[in-house]
Amino acid sequence: ADVAMATTLCARRSAAASLRAVRQYKWLEKNAGRTMELPWAGQRRLAGDTGAEDTSRAKDGASEGKKGKNEEEQKQPDERELLLEHALKHAVEKGWSRDALRAAAQDLGLSPAVGGLLDRGDVELIEYFLDKCNRKLAEDLKSMEAQLKEMRIRDKIRTAVKIRLEMVQPYINVWPQALAVLAQPQNAPRAVSKLAKMVDDIWIAAGDTSEDYNWYTKRGLLAGLYSSTELYMLTDTSPHYEDTLNFLDRRIEDIMVAGKATAQLGGFAKSMASDYDSMLQKIFTRKDS
């Protein structure tokens, strides 16, 4: 009963204080001819201004405030990105886990509960890493544009794949865990999408301009090449991953042979189609005559 009485008394006092504030504001609005700063309504002129002017100024102020806020947000990474970036430092030891996220939160002086920003937890950390690697690869290939133009196609592919594999090497001990998470049915579509983005960037940097079925064939072959080489690297104990690079060279050679075979098969099919068309024309020409 005492608690209820105290709560009621506090509510009445709060209501009375709010009522006094409203009455004071109305008196000032009626008698003062100056501009006031109101925390709930922005800045407005109390006497002599029309409602339209008030509305216009409020909108302008809100628009400028929003623009400044957006510019500030673009300059500074959001809390989620900072958390993921710091978590990468801990993933080497703690794996792609909530533990890495909690350690990152501690680095930033945030509550461990901040991990709730990531609905999908560890998989979001892995996807953030993949996106970061893909962006870095695209930037590196862009900066090497002049060098790449002087290389053969196979050397361009080898250079790009080697750069991308080197980004994974610091996490080699925990990368099997990442691959296992990405292979789960609910995560596989995003993983495939990021792999497709990577191989497309590599072929574009290599100067590929194909628009026919070769566009799909080349990217499918390169996706298989990268995935198989990455898996091989997980068990490679040679210095500087030399065995992985040798494996990569063999796979590239296989792709070159497959590409030539596909081109020869395509030429053979076109030749057969031309001969068949020519034969049909002769048959129908004879019938007509």
Side-chain angles (χ1 to χ4, degrees), residues 24-121:
Q24 290 173 0
Y25 165 71
K26 286 185 177 180
W27 184 89
L28 288 171
E29 185 176 23
K30 181 179 180 180
N31 297 284
R34 61 188 180 82
T35 299
M36 288 184 59
E37 187 71 23
L38 302 175
W40 66 88
Q43 197 172 32
R44 60 175 295 189
R45 187 167 298 280
L46 299 180
D49 281 358
T50 62
E53 291 175 345
D54 292 342
T55 304
S56 176
R57 293 185 182 185
K59 286 183 177 180
D60 291 342
S63 177
E64 292 177 1
K66 185 177 181 181
K67 181 179 179 181
K69 184 178 180 181
N70 290 339
E71 290 177 353
E72 187 67 22
E73 288 177 350
Q74 289 176 359
K75 292 179 182 178
Q76 298 181 355
D78 59 19
E79 201 171 58
R80 176 182 177 277
E81 184 176 349
L82 281 173
L83 181 65
L84 290 169
E85 185 63 32
H86 278 74
L88 289 179
K89 302 174 183 178
H90 296 281
V92 176
E93 296 181 357
K94 299 181 181 297
W96 310 91
S97 63
R98 294 281 183 180
D99 290 339
L101 295 172
R102 282 191 285 267
Q106 186 176 2
D107 291 345
L108 297 169
L110 302 174
S111 167
V114 76
L117 291 171
L118 309 175
D119 296 334
R120 297 163 55 236

Side-chain angles (χ1 to χ4, degrees), residues 154 157-158 160-162 165 195 198-199 202-203 218-232 244 247-256:
R154 67 178 63 201
I157 299 299
R158 185 185 191 276
V161 172
K162 181 175 180 291
L165 289 172
L195 177 61
M198 181 192 70
V199 298
I202 292 176
W203 273 118
K218 290 178 179 179
R219 281 149 182 80
L221 289 171
L222 182 53
L225 177 146
Y226 178 83
S227 298
S228 61
T229 307
E230 186 180 58
L231 288 173
Y232 187 93
T244 297
F247 178 87
L248 173 61
D249 291 336
R250 294 195 297 272
R251 296 291 75 78
I252 291 176
E253 185 61 30
D254 292 342
I255 285 184
M256 295 296 117

Side-chain angles (χ1 to χ4, degrees), residues 3-289:
V3 174
M5 185 178 294
T7 303
T8 303
L9 182 60
C10 289
R12 288 179 178 175
R13 287 179 178 175
S14 178
S18 299
L19 182 59
R20 284 196 300 271
V22 171
R23 286 174 178 171
Q24 290 173 0
Y25 165 71
K26 286 185 177 180
W27 184 89
L28 288 171
E29 185 176 23
K30 181 179 180 180
N31 297 284
R34 61 188 180 82
T35 299
M36 288 184 59
E37 187 71 23
L38 302 175
W40 66 88
Q43 197 172 32
R44 60 175 295 189
R45 187 167 298 280
L46 299 180
D49 281 358
T50 62
E53 291 175 345
D54 292 342
T55 304
S56 176
R57 293 185 182 185
K59 286 183 177 180
D60 291 342
S63 177
E64 292 177 1
K66 185 177 181 181
K67 181 179 179 181
K69 184 178 180 181
N70 290 339
E71 290 177 353
E72 187 67 22
E73 288 177 350
Q74 289 176 359
K75 292 179 182 178
Q76 298 181 355
D78 59 19
E79 201 171 58
R80 176 182 177 277
E81 184 176 349
L82 281 173
L83 181 65
L84 290 169
E85 185 63 32
H86 278 74
L88 289 179
K89 302 174 183 178
H90 296 281
V92 176
E93 296 181 357
K94 299 181 181 297
W96 310 91
S97 63
R98 294 281 183 180
D99 290 339
L101 295 172
R102 282 191 285 267
Q106 186 176 2
D107 291 345
L108 297 169
L110 302 174
S111 167
V114 76
L117 291 171
L118 309 175
D119 296 334
R120 297 163 55 236
D122 52 356
V123 70
E124 289 194 52
L125 178 58
I126 300 170
E127 290 174 355
Y128 175 81
F129 175 70
L130 292 177
D131 289 335
K132 181 180 179 180
C133 290
N134 286 348
R135 287 194 300 270
K136 183 67 168 61
L137 176 64
E139 292 171 2
D140 289 349
L141 294 177
K142 183 67 176 177
S143 65
M144 297 172 59
E145 189 174 358
Q147 301 174 38
L148 292 173
K149 286 183 179 179
E150 304 298 325
M151 297 182 184
R152 300 178 301 172
I153 290 292
R154 67 178 63 201
D155 295 330
K156 294 177 182 178
I157 299 299
R158 185 185 191 276
T159 299
V161 172
K162 181 175 180 291
I163 291 173
R164 184 63 177 77
L165 289 172
E166 288 174 348
M167 297 178 187
V168 177
Q169 289 171 5
Y171 302 89
I172 195 70
N173 292 330
V174 294
W175 197 240
Q177 177 195 1
L179 295 179
V181 172
L182 294 174
Q184 295 174 8
Q186 68 272 23
N187 303 327
R190 287 188 177 90
V192 172
S193 175
K194 297 179 190 306
L195 177 61
K197 175 69 169 60
M198 181 192 70
V199 298
D200 188 47
D201 287 342
I202 292 176
W203 273 118
I204 290 174
D208 178 52
T209 58
S210 59
E211 297 179 354
D212 54 4
Y213 69 92
N214 285 319
W215 190 95
Y216 301 95
T217 302
K218 290 178 179 179
R219 281 149 182 80
L221 289 171
L222 182 53
L225 177 146
Y226 178 83
S227 298
S228 61
T229 307
E230 186 180 58
L231 288 173
Y232 187 93
M233 185 173 66
L234 296 179
T235 59
D236 185 5
T237 58
S238 63
H240 308 294
Y241 298 97
E242 293 176 358
D243 290 347
T244 297
L245 296 179
N246 292 333
F247 178 87
L248 173 61
D249 291 336
R250 294 195 297 272
R251 296 291 75 78
I252 291 176
E253 185 61 30
D254 292 342
I255 285 184
M256 295 296 117
V257 172
K260 292 178 181 178
T262 301
Q264 291 174 355
L265 182 60
F268 177 73
K270 288 181 180 179
S271 176
M272 288 289 293
S274 177
D275 292 343
Y276 183 71
D277 183 60
S278 177
M279 182 180 65
L280 288 177
Q281 287 182 359
K282 289 180 180 179
I283 292 174
F284 285 108
T285 301
R286 290 176 182 176
K287 286 184 177 181
D288 292 339
S289 61

